[in-house]
Amino acid sequence: MISQEKDSGNAATPDVPVRKSRAQPVTLREVAEAAGVSTATVSLVINKKKNARIAEQTRQRVKDAIRQLGYRPNAMAKTLVSGTSRFIGLVADGVATTPFAGQIIHGAQDEAWKHGYALLIANTEGNRDLETDAIAMMLEYKVRGILYSTWFHRPTVVPETLREADFVLVNCFSPEPGAARAVVPDEEQGGKSATEILLRGGHRRIAFINATTPAPARDGRLQGYKDALEAAGIPFDPDLVLEAYPDQEGGYGATEELLKRNVAAVYCYNDRMAMGLYDGLRENGLSIPDDMAVVGFDNQEVIAAHLRPPLSTVSLPHYELGAAGVRMLLGLDEASSDAAVKIMCPAVERASVAVHSPA
Amino acid sequence: MISQEKDSGNAATPDVPVRKSRAQPVTLREVAEAAGVSTATVSLVINKKKNARIAEQTRQRVKDAIRQLGYRPNAMAKTLVSGTSRFIGLVADGVATTPFAGQIIHGAQDEAWKHGYALLIANTEGNRDLETDAIAMMLEYKVRGILYSTWFHRPTVVPETLREADFVLVNCFSPEPGAARAVVPDEEQGGKSATEILLRGGHRRIAFINATTPAPARDGRLQGYKDALEAAGIPFDPDLVLEAYPDQEGGYGATEELLKRNVAAVYCYNDRMAMGLYDGLRENGLSIPDDMAVVGFDNQEVIAAHLRPPLSTVSLPHYELGAAGVRMLLGLDEASSDAAVKIMCPAVERASVAVHSPA
DNA sequence: CTGAAAGCGCTTACAG
DNA sequence: CTGAAAGCGCTTACAG
């Protein structure tokens, strides 16, 4: 039976190191006392200062004390002194509802950690009030800077308070050129790559099911499609461009129109549309890729690699967007002053396009 | 032409408020000077201390100064003083690769913010070294506590350093009972609910395609299936339980075996399997739900609601897991001392089961 | 009703 | 080679 009493400052407590006690964190001063040195000395050995010449013996005593007491430096105090925190804020509007934000987080964190920064994340789900609060919070924690990211590539109005910090837009951009550093996916190149997959498959008559929803992706992916055709010497035929809502139901619904076009190859605005189109094609007794070669866009988790047959597509470089955002924020990458920096969307070829399908 | 020189402490600088300058943050002291009061007074009005009686006039002067200077309190200094930080750490192993973690983050953040805490997130993608670093970082920021979460429900070994903090396991648990507070989904109830959807559809002969991969979900979902059958007075037939790898390819591959069982209703271990099974059934000329009623598990984003027909399933309560984890950490919810707290998995009924299908 | 002072846990010149 | 002291930006008793 142990008598439970608060022994605050009880001198009778045994001097056995009580590790992992969650009561009051061990402080630098306590380490110094335990090692019989000044706090300055402890600080010096912890931070491995080059020009601090500490006797090896002293150094060892300090290290032992640190281990004994289970000392953890107080990062708050540390940043208070240094003036500059080791946080990078990441405001995201769709961590919960899409699988895309995860990759941005991953890329941003890997890059941030590489440079000694931790990520302070706020998920706003598009709520402006939450967003304001999130930015205020980050500002109060004196973050090194803020990455403001959106789950789909779009123009955005930079929140006023964001300008109080160093910031970079990730997967979005300000309509006014030069108003903000930004990094976005290269939709044109992506659209071109997607179309080229079909061209390489021997197709020359290629339909494109674009989105009905206005977005940089809608314009860019169409432009890429045109670029690819032009480079291949194929005249652009507006009749081969359809439009549908960019999800499974939209893709499915576009089947009928597509079949009227008498094509054997189609490039869909995104993978979800392609998934719906798969169902539509099957219902019409058509097989992929023999009757219809299909290419998507996004390389969306859970879907793209697991359709039957697996879908050829183009990858949205979310990881790289996050990483590039951090590098730009830290001044490691140059930001072009006038426009957003574009990150390449690599092609991912799978079985939905036959290698040398008959044209 | 403006001469650009560092005017540090230059008394000649105009007293026009330079807002949004990113140089040196405005401090409490500067606000106090501008308002002509002491720092204590400023602190008092900022924190709206009840028993501090400040003249309304003074209060107003302080507020004006704050606005004028664009003052932001330094959260680092604040927490240094108070001793207790306003951070809750969230260690997650799969933010990048699955859509599930997003919901945990969302739930945790909403609940944390409600209580004035910000989330410090670290994505480890299962890397143990990263994990150790992440926990150390959180410890150094003196987080109020740590949520240790996994992207799929599983037993886990609690990392040593995690014990230095107050912590709660989210979506995972320690094999040794009583070793750690934990919150997990109720797989048994979920499996029962899934089966009940089919029972309500009039089915009595129901197959279950379980996962081949050992996991609490595998045992729990099977148990729930048995429970539902028993409650309905239907004898359990082991021959109706198949197994497959829990993804689309696994579900597709199980089609043949399933059809041998001569059933018109099947409950799949997860939505991905159901998605693959859809393809298999279609290839066999069977229609859903008329020839085969299908139920999944997970209510996975992007998939479940968008299959043809939309899939009846059971929702994994990730949002609630995150929120409950925070509440448990803050001591707002009781943690049962012996086992993990179980969160309900609600049924989501869609068109893959006909309402009164013929048995 | 408001100010002066101590202190939170560190780091960084500066002495010695 | 090491210690005493000041200071980072706040808050909190304590005076007055």
Side-chain angles (χ1 to χ4, degrees):
Chain A
M1 272 183 261
I2 298 168
S3 71
Q4 288 282 4
E5 48 172 304
K6 276 195 178 175
D7 58 348
S8 50
N10 188 337
T13 42
D15 57 357
V16 173
V18 185
R19 308 175 69 174
K20 289 167 203 158
S21 101
R22 229 164 296 137
Q24 317 249 51
V26 177
T27 68
L28 226 209
R29 183 204 302 266
E30 296 178 69
V31 172
E33 280 166 7
V37 298
S38 75
T39 58
T41 303
V42 177
S43 174
L44 258 19
V45 345
I46 286 175
N47 297 302
K48 305 195 186 78
K49 290 291 175 187
K50 318 244 117 179
N51 34 7
R53 8 202 85 254
I54 312 276
E56 187 47 50
Q57 190 190 358
T58 312
R59 191 185 299 276
Q60 202 50 56
R61 244 186 311 142
V62 171
K63 283 184 180 171
D64 288 346
I66 289 174
R67 204 163 308 120
Q68 279 281 311
L69 301 174
Y71 171 70
R72 295 271 181 194
N74 183 326
M76 301 292 181
K78 201 182 290 195
T79 61
L80 215 211
V81 170
S82 70
T84 146
S85 102
R86 307 267 42 188
F87 282 131
I88 287 176
L90 172 57
V91 176
D93 71 347
V95 184
T97 39
T98 77
F100 297 136
Q103 287 290 354
I104 293 181
I105 292 176
H106 193 196
Q109 177 178 300
D110 282 359
E111 191 67 28
W113 283 45
K114 201 177 293 177
H115 304 290
Y117 286 90
L119 271 198
L120 200 48
I121 299 180
N123 172 217
T124 67
E125 293 301 317
N127 180 326
R128 275 280 169 179
D129 290 339
L130 248 184
E131 188 175 288
T132 304
D133 288 353
I135 294 173
M137 178 272 281
M138 291 174 177
L139 254 13
E140 297 187 2
Y141 278 106
K142 307 299 174 198
V143 293
R144 168 66 182 75
I146 296 178
L147 258 37
Y148 182 89
S149 78
T150 52
W151 74 266
F152 76 96
H153 181 186
R154 62 178 172 85
T156 190
V157 180
V158 177
E160 262 313 299
T161 49
L162 193 54
R163 298 201 173 277
E164 289 184 47
D166 210 6
F167 71 98
V168 170
L169 304 181
V170 173
N171 208 24
C172 54
F173 59 95
S174 171
E176 323 152 48
R181 287 180 293 171
V183 51
V184 299
D186 191 339
E187 308 282 0
E188 288 81 2
Q189 167 271 316
K192 189 164 182 229
S193 292
T195 310
E196 285 169 349
I197 295 174
L198 293 165
L199 289 168
R200 274 199 297 281
H203 298 279
R204 306 215 13 116
R205 219 176 126 67
I206 299 171
F208 173 39
I209 311 183
N210 203 353
T212 45
T213 49
R218 182 168 177 251
D219 302 334
R221 293 175 195 184
L222 173 60
Q223 188 55 53
Y225 166 76
K226 290 180 181 174
D227 292 350
L229 292 182
E230 184 175 342
I234 300 172
F236 169 67
D237 179 356
D239 190 48
L240 293 186
V241 178
L242 317 185
E243 287 193 340
Y245 190 82
D247 68 1
Q248 286 91 333
E249 289 72 14
Y252 177 80
T255 314
E256 197 182 343
E257 275 301 311
L258 174 67
L259 296 184
K260 286 185 192 161
R261 298 303 190 278
N262 196 31
V263 295
V266 60
Y267 149 43
C268 298
Y269 175 79
N270 69 15
D271 293 350
R272 302 182 63 176
M273 265 170 102
M275 176 172 161
L277 181 63
Y278 266 46
D279 286 339
L281 293 174
R282 268 188 293 241
E283 284 185 14
N284 281 275
L286 299 178
S287 88
I288 305 165
D290 297 334
D291 298 321
M292 184 75 74
V294 181
V295 166
F297 204 113
D298 287 359
N299 194 27
Q300 183 152 11
E301 286 293 338
V302 184
I303 290 186
H306 297 284
L307 294 177
R308 317 214 103 235
L311 181 66
S312 285
T313 186
V314 152
S315 203
L316 237 20
H318 289 112
Y319 180 94
E320 192 47 45
L321 286 171
V326 168
R327 285 196 301 273
M328 198 176 285
L329 187 70
L330 297 179
L332 305 172
D333 275 6
E334 319 244 343
S336 66
S337 53
D338 51 332
V341 166
K342 293 184 179 179
I343 305 287
M344 194 186 103
C345 301
V348 179
E349 304 204 35
R350 299 200 180 93
S352 65
V353 179
V355 180
H356 269 123
S357 127
Chain B
M1 275 184 257
I2 298 169
S3 71
Q4 289 283 6
E5 49 172 301
K6 277 196 175 173
D7 57 348
S8 51
N10 187 337
T13 42
D15 56 357
V16 174
V18 185
R19 308 175 68 172
K20 288 169 205 156
S21 101
R22 229 164 296 138
Q24 318 249 51
V26 178
T27 67
L28 226 209
R29 182 205 304 267
E30 297 177 68
V31 173
E33 280 166 7
V37 297
S38 75
T39 59
T41 303
V42 177
S43 175
L44 258 20
V45 346
I46 288 175
N47 297 302
K48 305 194 187 80
K49 289 292 174 185
K50 317 245 117 179
N51 34 6
R53 9 203 83 254
I54 313 276
E56 187 47 49
Q57 190 190 359
T58 312
R59 190 184 299 277
Q60 202 50 54
R61 245 187 309 142
V62 171
K63 282 183 178 171
D64 288 346
I66 288 174
R67 202 164 309 121
Q68 278 282 312
L69 300 173
Y71 170 71
R72 296 269 181 196
N74 183 326
M76 300 294 182
K78 202 182 290 197
T79 61
L80 216 211
V81 170
S82 70
T84 145
S85 101
R86 308 269 39 192
F87 282 131
I88 287 176
L90 172 57
V91 176
D93 71 348
V95 184
T97 38
T98 77
F100 297 135
Q103 287 290 352
I104 293 180
I105 293 175
H106 193 195
Q109 178 178 300
D110 282 0
E111 191 67 29
W113 284 45
K114 201 177 292 177
H115 305 289
Y117 286 89
L119 271 198
L120 201 47
I121 299 181
N123 173 219
T124 67
E125 293 302 317
N127 180 326
R128 275 279 168 179
D129 289 340
L130 249 183
E131 187 176 287
T132 305
D133 288 353
I135 294 172
M137 179 271 282
M138 291 174 178
L139 255 13
E140 297 187 2
Y141 278 105
K142 307 300 175 198
V143 294
R144 168 65 182 75
I146 297 178
L147 258 37
Y148 182 88
S149 77
T150 52
W151 72 267
F152 76 96
H153 181 185
R154 63 177 172 85
T156 189
V157 179
V158 177
E160 262 312 300
T161 49
L162 193 53
R163 299 201 172 277
E164 289 184 45
D166 209 5
F167 72 99
V168 170
L169 304 181
V170 173
N171 210 24
C172 53
F173 59 94
S174 171
E176 324 151 47
R181 287 179 294 171
V183 51
V184 299
D186 190 338
E187 308 283 0
E188 288 82 2
Q189 168 271 318
K192 188 163 182 231
S193 292
T195 310
E196 285 168 349
I197 295 174
L198 292 165
L199 289 169
R200 274 199 296 281
H203 298 280
R204 305 214 15 116
R205 217 176 127 67
I206 300 170
F208 173 39
I209 310 182
N210 204 353
T212 46
T213 49
R218 182 168 176 250
D219 302 333
R221 294 175 194 183
L222 173 60
Q223 187 57 50
Y225 165 76
K226 290 180 181 174
D227 292 350
L229 293 183
E230 184 175 342
I234 300 172
F236 170 67
D237 178 357
D239 190 49
L240 292 185
V241 177
L242 316 186
E243 287 194 340
Y245 190 81
D247 67 1
Q248 287 91 334
E249 289 73 14
Y252 177 80
T255 314
E256 198 182 342
E257 275 301 311
L258 175 68
L259 296 183
K260 287 185 192 161
R261 298 304 190 277
N262 195 31
V263 294
V266 60
Y267 148 43
C268 297
Y269 174 80
N270 69 15
D271 293 352
R272 302 183 64 178
M273 265 170 104
M275 176 172 161
L277 180 63
Y278 267 46
D279 286 339
L281 293 174
R282 269 188 294 240
E283 284 186 14
N284 280 276
L286 299 178
S287 89
I288 304 165
D290 297 333
D291 298 321
M292 184 75 73
V294 181
V295 166
F297 203 114
D298 287 0
N299 194 26
Q300 183 151 11
E301 286 293 339
V302 183
I303 291 185
H306 298 283
L307 294 178
R308 317 214 105 237
L311 181 66
S312 285
T313 186
V314 152
S315 204
L316 236 21
H318 289 112
Y319 180 95
E320 191 47 45
L321 285 172
V326 168
R327 284 196 302 272
M328 199 176 286
L329 187 70
L330 297 180
L332 306 172
D333 276 6
E334 319 244 345
S336 67
S337 53
D338 51 333
V341 166
K342 294 185 177 178
I343 305 286
M344 194 186 102
C345 301
V348 179
E349 304 203 36
R350 299 202 180 92
S352 64
V353 178
V355 179
H356 270 122
S357 124

